[in-house]
Amino acid sequence: MKSVLSERITSHQPDIETRELDHDAATALRTLAADIRHRLGDAAHTDTLHDPALLAQIADRVGELPDSVRRAVAPPATASGAAVVRGLRVDADFGATPADWQDAARHTHPGSFELDIAMLLLARCAGEPFGWQGQQNGRLVNNIVPAAGHEHEQSGASSATLLSPHTEDAFHADRANLLMLICLRNPDRVATTVSSVRQVRLSDEDLRTLTTPTLPILPDVSYGTGFTQHAPLPTLWFDENDCATTRYDPAYTPLDDADATFRIAYARLTAELARVCHAPALAPGEILLVDNDVAVHGRVPFRARYDGTDRWLKRVNIRLPERRRRAQEAAENGYGQRVVAPFRATADRTAERGRADERGSVEQP
């Protein structure tokens, strides 16, 4: 363990990365998404976007997109752990902002469905999109909208309270490496917060405390309630490249169960994450990429109107196959939560066939 995080980063926090999806690339993406929708028909999708014909179209045709699309959605390249991608037009009619995610799934507007397809294409360019069986019924594209009665909870359905910065699905070893958020509607310029653990400054003592497994992290309320606490996890560690990495979710970490030393160190980390916070207010068509191993994200409070004009984002969880997680995480059971990963299975089978072909070619005389 080297001394402090401040020695690994500069003392100032540059703005998060900004990228442009050029006009030709954006047009190619929207044209391909529209063609897939028309081939399938608006009624062909399921509530979870698991229609085999849709998944096959995504897998077979993503290669038609120009390389500039892949470059635009590559993982963030700076210590901020985040990037905003501009240039995607969302001038289609998506209908009113849904009342909740269930409403979004039941009454998918053709324009919204087409954007779901575009997001799956983008996510497939970046890696392997997946969902969770216990969250939004396993949808591969989640709808993030304020829901009446959930104003003060720590979930994407809240509005009136600060959504605390957190690692997405920090409780699970199979959490996303990369999050993709796209804005459909944000008339009140509600900001998403992003803070990178690679921009904070902590003492050696705090580092020793926070890298020691001390407390578990529980699933958030979108997965249900009543979970029994499992094994403690480290809040910070350093990856194979000696770069800071985190699993951080204060709203679902039982901090009262820790001793004073841990609580003080955790509070210092929280203060540092606030100090280095960026707060982009996404405009329609803008995409926020968050490196979920490096940056935590949240949302500022706002007053929801529930009149069909409220903020509306879509989110995709993405696995990056080239990323390796700590070996210790393999023993976690993730509170029984399971991923829905159709593209991962395809990729794994393809890789296995390739290895078999290689073995076969060697064995042939």
Side-chain angles (χ1 to χ4, degrees):
M1 179 80 64
K2 294 181 181 177
S3 59
V4 292
L5 290 179
S6 59
E7 294 181 2
R8 304 163 193 260
I9 61 171
T10 57
S11 60
H12 66 283
Q13 288 72 49
D15 290 337
I16 61 177
E17 212 179 334
T18 301
R19 303 173 181 172
E20 292 291 334
L21 189 65
D22 65 69
H23 175 76
D24 290 345
T27 300
L29 174 65
R30 291 307 304 267
T31 299
L32 181 55
D35 184 66
I36 291 174
R37 180 174 71 85
H38 288 299
R39 284 173 182 263
L40 296 175
D42 293 335
H45 73 284
T46 67
D47 288 349
T48 57
L49 303 178
H50 293 169
D51 185 280
L54 171 60
L55 296 177
Q57 284 280 311
I58 298 294
D60 293 344
R61 303 190 63 189
V62 67
E64 298 176 21
L65 294 173
D67 289 341
S68 57
V69 176
R70 291 167 183 78
R71 291 193 294 270
V73 295
T78 68
S80 70
V84 173
V85 183
R86 296 170 178 157
L88 180 62
R89 294 183 297 104
V90 290
D91 51 4
D93 178 15
F94 298 110
T97 299
D100 49 37
W101 72 261
Q102 294 97 330
D103 183 45
R106 284 192 303 267
H107 306 110
T108 301
H109 188 280
S112 176
F113 178 40
E114 188 172 304
L115 190 59
D116 288 343
I117 296 172
M119 287 200 71
L120 287 177
L121 287 166
L122 286 171
R124 195 69 185 97
C125 284
E128 297 170 4
F130 69 91
W132 295 96
Q133 289 180 352
Q135 185 183 69
Q136 297 203 11
N137 283 349
R139 283 187 62 85
L140 298 179
V141 180
N142 296 157
N143 288 280
I144 310 300
V145 295
H150 298 266
E151 289 85 353
H152 297 281
E153 72 182 21
Q154 285 294 308
S155 77
S158 69
S159 53
T161 192
L162 173 73
L163 181 59
S164 298
H166 60 282
T167 302
E168 190 73 10
D169 302 314
F171 70 94
H172 206 289
D174 287 336
R175 63 198 178 279
N177 302 113
L178 182 68
L179 296 181
M180 181 181 292
L181 293 161
I182 187 169
C183 176
L184 281 71
R185 183 173 290 137
N186 192 13
D188 303 310
R189 302 291 292 166
V190 178
T192 303
T193 64
V194 184
S195 304
S196 171
V197 72
R198 294 182 183 173
Q199 294 183 320
V200 305
R201 294 195 294 261
L202 293 171
S203 69
D204 287 340
E205 181 181 355
D206 286 341
L207 281 176
R208 282 192 294 271
T209 299
L210 294 171
T211 54
T212 301
T214 303
L215 293 174
I217 302 175
L218 296 167
D220 69 57
V221 293
S222 66
Y223 293 94
T225 57
F227 294 102
T228 301
Q229 295 181 17
H230 287 170
L233 306 170
T235 303
L236 298 177
W237 66 95
F238 295 91
D239 65 17
E240 64 271 19
N241 298 313
D242 205 29
C243 294
T245 310
T246 188
R247 291 172 78 169
Y248 174 87
D249 194 350
Y252 294 96
T253 300
L255 293 169
D256 290 343
D257 294 346
D259 61 23
T261 299
F262 181 87
R263 292 198 304 271
I264 291 169
Y266 200 95
R268 289 195 186 105
L269 173 60
T270 298
E272 278 293 292
L273 291 170
R275 181 181 66 82
V276 302
C277 179
H278 301 285
L282 297 178
E286 290 186 338
I287 301 166
L288 178 63
L289 300 172
V290 179
D291 188 326
N292 199 45
D293 295 323
V294 173
V296 297
H297 69 286
R299 191 217 59 244
V300 302
F302 68 101
R303 174 173 290 184
R305 292 180 291 271
Y306 307 121
D307 61 356
T309 66
D310 283 320
R311 176 181 184 262
W312 183 5
L313 304 183
K314 288 178 179 285
R315 178 186 66 209
V316 182
N317 296 296
I318 302 170
R319 173 183 178 247
L320 303 177
E322 67 274 14
R323 288 267 182 101
R324 291 186 299 173
R325 290 248 165 82
R326 296 181 313 119
Q328 296 90 325
E329 296 188 9
E332 298 179 25
N333 76 355
Y335 296 87
Q337 301 303 312
R338 297 289 180 261
V339 298
V340 177
F343 297 104
R344 184 180 308 183
T346 300
D348 291 345
R349 286 196 298 269
T350 301
E352 183 58 38
R353 283 197 301 270
R355 289 190 291 270
D357 291 344
E358 290 174 1
R359 290 193 296 270
S361 64
V362 171
E363 292 169 1
Q364 291 175 356

